[in-house]
Amino acid sequence: MPGTSSVDALREIGLAHGLDRVGVTSAEPFASTLGDLEDRRERGLSADMQFTYRNPGRSTDPARTLEGVRSLVVGARAYPPPPGAGRNDGGRPRARVAAYAVDDHYAALRIGLDAIARQLVAAGHRARVLLDDNALVDRAAAHRAGLGWFGKNANLLIDGLGSWVVLGSVLTDASLAPADAPMPDGCGGCTRCLDGCPTGAIVAPGVVDARRCLAWLLQARGTFPAEHRIALGDRIYGCDECQEVCPPSRRAVRTGGLDPSPASPASTGPTLDVVDLLTLDDDRLLAEVGRWYIADRDPDVVRRNALIVLANTASLPLAAPLESVLITYLGHPSPLLRSHAVWAARRLGRDDLLGRVRADTDHQVRLELARPVAARQGSSTPASSPVGAPPR
């Protein structure tokens, strides 16, 4: 079924099954993207990220996934933008979830891509759907298919939708004429995303240093970098800042280009109760946020993040239930959580809660005790000086 009319038919099928944009392009390797991935990995900008950095040769060559592939049908599915920052609810702080992670938007994307794949298979072709997968550089595929241009925040920007989209592709051995040429840059001289990033993670147009990116740091294992904890604010998973300040993405919200979708049973909602996150057992916590990428499926990564949010957002003076949670974590068996609880207590001006933890011998905990911490305004002390001997 090669030819322009078949491309139009595939687009109609995709749009009828919930996709917002559909494009078609060739399946040659993404040579320039391969060079970018290898360069950024060599420079350390990818931190410990795996994803398409794990095997750049594979993720930039569609033929590694489907032998004989000739075309890519690329789909975009829009999702609702974030409603705003979290709020304290009766003294219980709430943590903000990035818009893309509030619900399983990829499930809706898959419905549209599967419909296209079924049509191709019915016509005698092979087809393979890839979405949210390390096997393909989806933004590069969408750019080549003419869906949008690369913003300076490294996201794909689509006219009328901004970057509020998830992306995926159908790989096929059908020979389909590319429907649209790649779009030219639409950002011009705008640098709002570079200027607005809370940690300065966008180090050059289109280049993100994962070692500073809050979205990645919230997923990464180990100690959350102390220099970025205050900037984290109320975020528990993901960061939308570079999208929220982006004019094309803001315009998509303002003009109603993004239709809100009804929440699915998998939705977490845009905010989560911090106390719940810190008191649920492992199974219940993972059931709540199990769709998220969590390093080693370790719920303590989420609890670590929640302790920072608690320190940044809890109303002062600290309510008794929150104080009780903090005391519990100061005595937690995990050194990772004890150390972040130390920082949280000191950020809240509650050095008086440190008690027995001052004698803790764990290196992480000793480091937090020795580190100067800027206490929040309104706390019992204006600043916290080191309270323990420096680590050896």
Side-chain angles (χ1 to χ4, degrees), residues 5 99 116 138-139 149 190 269 273 277 308 315 371 373 378 392:
S5 61
I116 291 172
D138 50 11
R139 281 174 288 185
W149 72 92
C190 178
D273 186 294
L277 293 173
I308 299 172
S315 298
R371 190 196 311 276
V373 176
R392 296 181 178 181

Side-chain angles (χ1 to χ4, degrees), residues 349-363:
R350 295 302 305 271
D351 288 17
D352 60 297
L353 299 179
L354 297 180
R356 287 181 300 174
V357 79
R358 296 173 187 267
D360 200 307
T361 59
D362 180 79
H363 177 78

Side-chain angles (χ1 to χ4, degrees), residues 97-108 262-270 272 285-292:
V97 181
Y100 79 90
V102 166
D103 211 338
D104 188 2
H105 304 297
Y106 282 103
S264 79
S267 174
T268 63
L272 293 172
L285 180 55
L286 288 177
E288 179 75 15
V289 300
R291 287 184 299 97
W292 298 352

Side-chain angles (χ1 to χ4, degrees), residues 73-377:
V73 184
V74 186
R77 165 82 181 192
Y79 58 83
R87 297 287 184 268
N88 279 358
D89 182 9
R92 293 168 66 101
R94 299 193 65 84
R96 192 166 23 145
V97 181
Y100 79 90
V102 166
D103 211 338
D104 188 2
H105 304 297
Y106 282 103
L109 174 66
R110 180 176 288 280
I111 291 171
L113 295 176
D114 281 346
I116 291 172
R118 286 195 300 271
Q119 178 66 28
L120 288 164
V121 171
H125 299 290
R126 290 182 297 137
R128 169 82 182 273
V129 172
L130 288 181
L131 71 162
D132 195 25
D133 193 296
N134 301 335
L136 185 66
V137 283
D138 50 11
R139 281 174 288 185
H143 177 258
R144 185 193 282 177
L147 295 191
W149 72 92
F150 284 120
K152 291 176 182 174
N153 59 5
N155 287 325
L156 189 83
L157 294 171
I158 297 178
D159 189 31
L161 301 178
S163 56
W164 307 110
V165 294
V166 288
L167 303 167
S169 298
V170 181
L171 284 60
T172 179
D173 60 0
S175 181
L176 303 170
D180 300 287
M183 292 184 66
D185 171 63
C187 293
C190 178
T191 61
R192 291 189 187 182
C193 58
L194 282 82
D195 302 333
C197 177
T199 58
I202 308 173
V203 295
V207 181
V208 177
D209 185 344
R211 296 167 297 187
R212 303 187 207 176
C213 178
L214 294 175
W216 168 246
L217 294 175
L218 284 164
Q219 297 181 14
R221 58 176 60 85
T223 300
F224 197 99
E227 64 271 24
H228 300 317
R229 292 175 191 170
I230 294 175
L232 185 66
D234 65 348
R235 301 172 182 87
I236 191 68
Y237 190 81
C239 178
D240 288 319
E241 197 73 28
C242 67
Q243 300 190 85
E244 292 186 278
V245 300
C246 170
S249 295
R250 291 171 63 89
R251 189 159 52 246
V253 176
R254 188 174 62 250
T255 59
L258 302 167
D259 293 327
S261 309
S264 79
S267 174
T268 63
T271 65
L272 293 172
D273 186 294
V274 173
V275 175
D276 283 348
L277 293 173
L278 290 169
T279 54
L280 292 175
D281 63 30
D282 288 358
D283 290 341
R284 291 177 62 199
L285 180 55
L286 288 177
E288 179 75 15
V289 300
R291 287 184 299 97
W292 298 352
Y293 173 83
I294 301 170
D296 303 322
R297 304 303 296 164
D298 183 357
D300 282 353
V301 172
V302 180
R303 295 182 178 116
R304 174 204 66 184
N305 301 342
L307 284 167
I308 299 172
V309 174
L310 173 66
N312 285 337
T313 64
S315 298
L316 299 173
L318 198 62
L322 300 182
E323 180 179 310
S324 177
V325 168
L326 193 52
I327 291 171
T328 296
Y329 275 86
L330 286 167
H332 198 280
S334 165
L336 174 72
L337 297 180
R338 288 202 310 278
S339 64
H340 285 78
V342 167
W343 182 85
R346 302 185 65 213
R347 170 82 171 134
L348 292 164
R350 295 302 305 271
D351 288 17
D352 60 297
L353 299 179
L354 297 180
R356 287 181 300 174
V357 79
R358 296 173 187 267
D360 200 307
T361 59
D362 180 79
H363 177 78
Q364 288 176 274
V365 176
R366 300 304 305 169
L367 187 65
E368 294 300 337
L369 289 168
R371 190 196 311 276
V373 176
R376 285 173 50 197
Q377 289 186 349

